[in-house]
C-alpha cells in the first residue's frame, strides 16, 4: 500500500508539473571507420514518444554546413543509394572523407515532444606526403616561415619538423640543445616560424604528417641558407649607379656641344604695320597750302 501510494504521488507530480521522460540515446556516439567501408549510426528513444514518433537525421560537415540525410522517413537525394534506414538507425554502405562530421538523430511526436542525440563520425584516411615550403635563402635577422600541409589525412594530421634529421621539439626552451632556438612551431597548422633567423638556423628541413589512420608521411628535405647582409654588393651597386649617371650627363653635354641636339626655337617680334589713309584735297595741289602743318590720321597695327 505504501509503495503504491508513492507511485501515485510521483505520477501526480509529473502530471501536475508537466515533466516528461522523453529521451533519445545512441549506443555509440563516437564512430570511427575506414574510408570505403560501411558503418551504422544508432538511435533509440523512450516510450513516451509513442508508436508514431517521427525520426529524422541531419548532418553537419567540418565546415559547419548542415543538411538532411533522412527527411520524412526517406533518404534525401544526395544520399539515396548508399544510405538506408533500419528501425531508427542510419546505415551508410560506403563512407568517404566527405562524410566526416556530426550526425543528429531528432525524434518528435507532437507539440513539445522532442529529443535528439548526436553521433560523431570520423572517417579514417592515412596521411599523404605533405606539401612543404622552405625558403632557400634568408637574410640574417629577417622572418622565415616554413609551411607544411596535407589535405588528405583524416582525422586531420598533426605535424612534426626535422632539421638535419633531428626532431625539433614543439617547445625548444624545455629541451637541452634547443634552449637558444627562437623558432615557433604549430603542430596543428604545420607552420614553423623564425621571427629573426641567425646563421645557426641554416640547414636541411623536412616535415612529417601524422594521424592514427596509417603510417606517417614526410616531404622531401629542402635546404635553407641564412646569409649576412651583402654590404659590399650594396656599395658596388651604388657606385655603378653613380657612374651611369655621370656617363649620361657627359653624353648629353657632348651631344649639345656638337649640335646633335635640336636648338630651342627663337621667338621673333612681329613687324609693325602702319596704315596711312589717302589725304583728301580740293584742287590739284599736292602740298598743304601756305605751308600750314596739319596732322594726318594714322593707324598702327
Amino acid at each position: 500500500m505504501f509503495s503504491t501510494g508513492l507511485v501515485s504521488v510521483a505520477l501526480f507530480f509529473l502530471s501536475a508539473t508537466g515533466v516528461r521522460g522523453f529521451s533519445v540515446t545512441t549506443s555509440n556516439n563516437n564512430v570511427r571507420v575506414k574510408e570505403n567501408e560501411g558503418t551504422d549510426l544508432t538511435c533509440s528513444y523512450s516510450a513516451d514518444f509513442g508508436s508514431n514518433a517521427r525520426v529524422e537525421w541531419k548532418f553537419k560537415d567540418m565546415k559547419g554546413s548542415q543538411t538532411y540525410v533522412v527527411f520524412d522517413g526517406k533518404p534525401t537525394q544526395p544520399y539515396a543509394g548508399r544510405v538506408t534506414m533500419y528501425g531508427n538507425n542510419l546505415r551508410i554502405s560506403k563512407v568517404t572523407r566527405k562524410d566526416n562530421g556530426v550526425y543528429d538523430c531528432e525524434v518528435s511526436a507532437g507539440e513539445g515532444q522532442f529529443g535528439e542525440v548526436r553521433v560523431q563520425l570520423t572517417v579514417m584516411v592515412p596521411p599523404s606526403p605533405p606539401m612543404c615550403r622552405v625558403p632557400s635563402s634568408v637574410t640574417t635577422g629577417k622572418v622565415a616561415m616554413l609551411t607544411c600541409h596535407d589535405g588528405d589525412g583524416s582525422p586531420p594530421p598533426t605535424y612534426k619538423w626535422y632539421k638535419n634529421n633531428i626532431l625539433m621539439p614543439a617547445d625548444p626552451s624545455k629541451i637541452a640543445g634547443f634552449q637558444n632556438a627562437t623558432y615557433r612551431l604549430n603542430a596543428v597548422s604545420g607552420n614553423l616560424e623564425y621571427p629573426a633567423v641567425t646563421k645557426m638556423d641554416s640547414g636541411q628541413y623536412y616535415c612529417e604528417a601524422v594521424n592514427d589512420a596509417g603510417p606517417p608521411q614526410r616531404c622531401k628535405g629542402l635546404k635553407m641558407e641564412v646569409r649576412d647582409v651583402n654590404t659590399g654588393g650594396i656599395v658596388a651597386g651604388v657606385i655603378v649607379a653613380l657612374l651611369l649617371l655621370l656617363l649620361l650627363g657627359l653624353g648629353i653635354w657632348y651631344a649639345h656641344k656638337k649640335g646633335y641636339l635640336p636648338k630651342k626655337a627663337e621667338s621673333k617680334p612681329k613687324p609693325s604695320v602702319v596704315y596711312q589713309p589717302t589725304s583728301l584735297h580740293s584742287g590739284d595741289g599736292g602740298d598743304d597750302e601756305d605751308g600750314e602743318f596739319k596732322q594726318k590720321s594714322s593707324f598702327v597695327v
Side-chain angles (χ1 to χ4, degrees):
M1 289 292 294
F2 181 73
S3 59
T4 304
L6 287 177
V7 172
S8 300
V9 170
L11 291 174
F12 174 79
F13 176 78
L14 291 174
S15 177
T17 57
V19 177
R20 295 290 186 272
F22 300 110
S23 63
V24 182
T25 58
T26 180
S27 60
N28 186 2
N29 60 3
N30 189 6
V31 177
R32 299 167 69 88
V33 60
K34 293 182 179 180
E35 190 173 30
N36 297 321
E37 292 186 356
T39 189
D40 293 340
L41 310 182
T42 62
C43 177
S44 59
Y45 54 88
S46 60
D48 303 277
F49 285 98
S51 57
N52 296 321
R54 176 170 177 157
V55 178
E56 294 174 340
W57 282 89
K58 287 182 180 179
F59 168 61
K60 181 183 291 185
D61 62 20
M62 303 299 289
K63 297 180 180 180
S65 178
Q66 192 172 49
T67 185
Y68 276 101
V69 179
V70 173
F71 181 78
D72 198 18
K74 298 178 181 179
T76 58
Q77 185 58 39
Y79 294 92
R82 68 185 190 97
V83 168
T84 55
M85 285 278 291
Y86 69 98
N88 310 313
N89 305 318
L90 184 68
R91 173 167 291 172
I92 306 176
S93 60
K94 190 176 182 179
V95 299
T96 69
R97 63 195 69 186
K98 293 182 179 180
D99 296 323
N100 267 314
V102 294
Y103 293 77
D104 292 324
C105 175
E106 300 180 348
V107 183
S108 59
E111 185 176 355
Q113 299 176 346
F114 177 83
E116 64 180 339
V117 68
R118 173 161 292 185
V119 180
Q120 176 77 45
L121 175 62
T122 303
V123 181
M124 308 296 288
V125 182
S128 298
M131 179 179 293
C132 300
R133 290 186 173 90
V134 178
S136 58
S137 179
V138 189
T139 303
T140 304
K142 298 294 184 179
V143 176
M145 178 67 78
L146 291 71
T147 62
C148 179
H149 179 70
D150 166 43
D152 293 328
S154 177
T158 56
Y159 301 95
K160 300 178 181 179
W161 277 97
Y162 292 78
K163 176 187 174 186
N164 298 330
N165 295 319
I166 298 175
L167 177 64
M168 303 177 68
D171 188 353
S173 63
K174 297 181 179 180
I175 305 297
F178 287 89
Q179 294 178 349
N180 294 327
T182 59
Y183 65 81
R184 293 192 292 261
L185 196 158
N186 189 323
V188 176
S189 68
N191 292 342
L192 173 62
E193 180 183 5
Y194 285 95
V197 293
T198 66
K199 300 195 73 173
M200 294 179 59
D201 298 324
S202 295
Q204 190 171 39
Y205 293 81
Y206 68 84
C207 169
E208 191 174 69
V210 182
N211 70 7
D212 56 357
Q217 297 289 335
R218 64 179 56 176
C219 64
K220 181 181 178 181
L222 298 170
K223 186 177 181 180
M224 183 177 75
E225 184 176 358
V226 181
R227 300 177 179 177
D228 291 330
V229 177
N230 189 0
T231 307
I234 294 175
V235 173
V238 172
I239 293 174
V240 170
L242 292 175
L243 289 175
L244 290 175
L245 289 174
L246 179 60
L247 290 174
L248 178 62
L250 290 174
I252 294 174
W253 173 81
Y254 182 80
H256 180 72
K257 182 178 180 181
K258 293 296 184 180
Y260 297 146
L261 298 178
K263 295 182 179 180
K264 184 178 181 181
E266 297 180 356
S267 58
K268 297 180 179 180
K270 296 182 179 180
S272 300
V273 179
V274 178
Y275 174 73
Q276 180 71 42
T278 304
S279 300
L280 299 177
H281 303 280
S282 58
D284 297 332
D287 296 328
D288 294 332
E289 295 181 356
D290 301 328
E292 182 180 356
F293 174 78
K294 295 181 180 180
Q295 185 176 358
K296 300 176 180 181
S297 61
S298 64
F299 177 74
V300 179
V301 180

